[in-house]
Amino acid sequence: MDRVNTMIDLTAYPRVALGHLPTPLEPLPRLSATLGGPEIWIKRDDCTGLAGGGNKTRKLEFLMGDALNRVAESVITVGALQSNHVRQTAAAAARLGLHCEVVLTDKVDHREDAYRTSGNVLLDDLLGAYVHVVKDGAASDAKVAEVRERLRAENRPPYVVPIGGSNWVGAIGYVNCADEIEAQARQLDLRFDLIVHASSSAGTQSGLLAGLQALRSRTQVLGVNVDSKDPAPLVTRIETLTGALTGRLGAPEVAVERIRINSDYIGSGYGQPTPEMVEAVRMVSEFEGILLDPVYTGKAMSALIGLIRTGGLDSRTRRVLFLHTGGYPGLFAYTEALRTGR
Ligand SMILES: *Cc1c(COP(=O)(O)O)cnc(C)c1O
């Protein structure tokens, strides 16, 4: 991969090289042509290289840097049964020789057997993580506390990675991504009006917004909410995280108008398939040979497609960058939902 000239100095933050960076930034000519809207490009953060890749790899470079700095010998993290974050954390721990225990909440009402046996949950096991499955958030908190105490007693100091890797330390990974995108755009001599991506635990969107702010970029960011029809909790999280990041970067605060969330494409809830998601996954596969995922990127792309078709994008939006945040192992947990019978 060609090196890029980034501008933001992140050397103050302990970091472990885990990703294949920079990730490619490519045009999507056939998808753009069939939609007849703005030019669509893609940032391939599905190609970060860590056991199937995805956006958590960039966050884990800084989280694992922090863990090693604190002399942790074990890692604990949490997520949904098909969490991509948990899979990438398990891979990072394996790579660094850290013991890893993960607490998965079986909260998505999706009835396929594959949801509980294949995709990410299979990979967590292959990657050597100790998997605990619980029923809800309260049980997850209790299990994390229990595992943490046990690991302390066993003299294996644990480092707890929050859900989605989304504290300010993890979000620095997406400050770095914003910097990389701007550097690649300069190299290609083009400018993006809008970045669209799936948003859930706020780290990705916060890091992007803070990084763009530090660079004084005018590129807008639209997060597609895959968690809830109510954007308020996500906006609050993003305000907190961007505040923590811009403070550290010496950048002006991110104005609340720049925190843009679309919550119209979630369907009946987190991890629940929608016909628009299935169409988006199939379109990007068939037109561009790129695999999205059913929980995050499929819904984010369904939003972009929907907004283009209904004239919902600002008419000055000429060039859009879709940030591919990864997740393809999730396809194998949704085989029945995705099959068309052709
Ligand atoms: C975690 C995840 C996201 C959401 O990123 P956040 O930083 O949690 O908002 C998007 N896409 C995929 C594939 C993910 O695994």
Side-chain angles (χ1 to χ4, degrees):
M1 203 57 59
D2 291 342
R3 288 188 130 282
V4 289
N5 292 317
T6 49
M7 311 280 281
I8 305 175
D9 181 7
L10 297 174
T11 50
Y13 306 100
R15 180 173 180 180
V16 190
L18 293 170
H20 297 175
L21 304 179
T23 57
L25 188 147
E26 305 165 337
L28 296 178
R30 299 192 65 231
L31 183 71
S32 304
T34 192
L35 291 170
E39 222 176 82
I40 306 173
W41 290 61
I42 192 164
K43 174 67 170 164
R44 299 294 305 274
D45 271 16
D46 57 321
C47 299
T48 53
L50 191 67
N55 64 336
K56 305 313 179 306
T57 301
R58 287 185 193 271
K59 301 180 185 183
L60 285 162
E61 290 202 330
F62 292 95
L63 290 162
M64 293 296 106
D66 189 36
L68 295 183
N69 204 36
R70 293 168 191 270
V71 222
E73 290 180 22
S74 59
V75 175
I76 306 171
T77 199
V78 296
L81 210 53
Q82 285 295 334
S83 167
N84 300 298
H85 160 69
V86 166
R87 182 241 316 154
Q88 287 163 90
T89 303
R95 179 98 152 250
L96 300 172
L98 300 168
H99 173 83
C100 181
E101 301 208 19
V102 302
V103 181
L104 305 181
T105 305
D106 189 358
K107 62 170 184 181
V108 176
D109 184 21
H110 192 69
R111 275 176 241 285
E112 290 182 43
D113 284 347
Y115 187 82
R116 291 186 170 73
T117 56
S118 186
N120 285 299
V121 75
L122 168 65
L123 301 183
D124 295 341
D125 186 49
L126 289 179
L127 292 163
Y130 290 73
V131 178
H132 307 271
V133 180
V134 296
K135 278 286 160 210
D136 57 32
S140 172
D141 292 346
K143 181 55 87 178
V144 168
E146 176 196 318
V147 172
R148 181 199 252 159
E149 282 319 305
R150 176 169 44 75
L151 290 172
R152 278 194 186 131
E154 291 170 358
N155 214 1
R156 289 192 278 190
Y159 184 85
V160 179
V161 178
I163 193 154
S166 287
N167 53 17
W168 72 264
V169 175
I172 296 172
Y174 272 83
V175 171
N176 178 239
C177 182
D179 201 3
E180 201 177 288
I181 290 168
E182 287 282 308
Q184 287 172 317
R186 274 195 305 279
Q187 217 163 50
L188 292 160
D189 199 21
L190 47 83
R191 173 172 179 272
F192 294 103
D193 300 301
L194 180 67
I195 298 173
V196 176
H197 71 92
S199 201
S200 170
S201 67
T204 302
Q205 191 162 359
S206 303
L208 286 175
L209 284 168
L212 293 170
Q213 188 80 352
L215 296 164
R216 311 296 194 271
S217 167
R218 283 167 39 224
T219 301
Q220 299 275 338
V221 177
L222 177 63
V224 178
N225 192 347
V226 300
D227 257 28
S228 164
K229 282 188 173 53
D230 175 13
L234 186 52
V235 172
T236 305
R237 292 264 312 134
I238 294 171
E239 283 185 282
T240 307
L241 278 177
T242 54
L245 291 168
T246 53
R248 286 178 170 83
L249 296 169
E253 273 187 25
V254 174
V256 72
E257 309 81 70
R258 281 187 55 85
I259 303 177
R260 298 176 56 203
I261 311 277
N262 181 306
S263 306
D264 298 339
Y265 290 83
I266 185 172
S268 60
Y270 175 84
Q272 298 300 334
T274 61
E276 294 78 13
M277 175 281 285
V278 175
E279 185 199 12
V281 168
R282 299 200 69 98
M283 272 180 90
V284 176
S285 303
E286 292 176 13
F287 280 94
E288 299 288 353
I290 293 173
L291 300 172
L292 299 179
D293 86 284
V295 179
Y296 298 93
T297 54
K299 283 187 180 168
M301 183 58 89
S302 77
L304 177 57
I305 293 170
L307 290 169
I308 291 172
R309 284 181 178 155
T310 59
L313 290 180
D314 185 317
S315 59
R316 289 161 301 182
T317 307
R318 299 271 151 73
R319 190 175 293 118
V320 177
L321 181 64
F322 182 81
L323 171 62
H324 191 332
T325 45
Y328 84 86
L331 292 172
F332 304 107
Y334 284 83
T335 52
E336 288 168 34
L338 291 163
R339 220 187 327 258
T340 59
R342 185 169 59 192

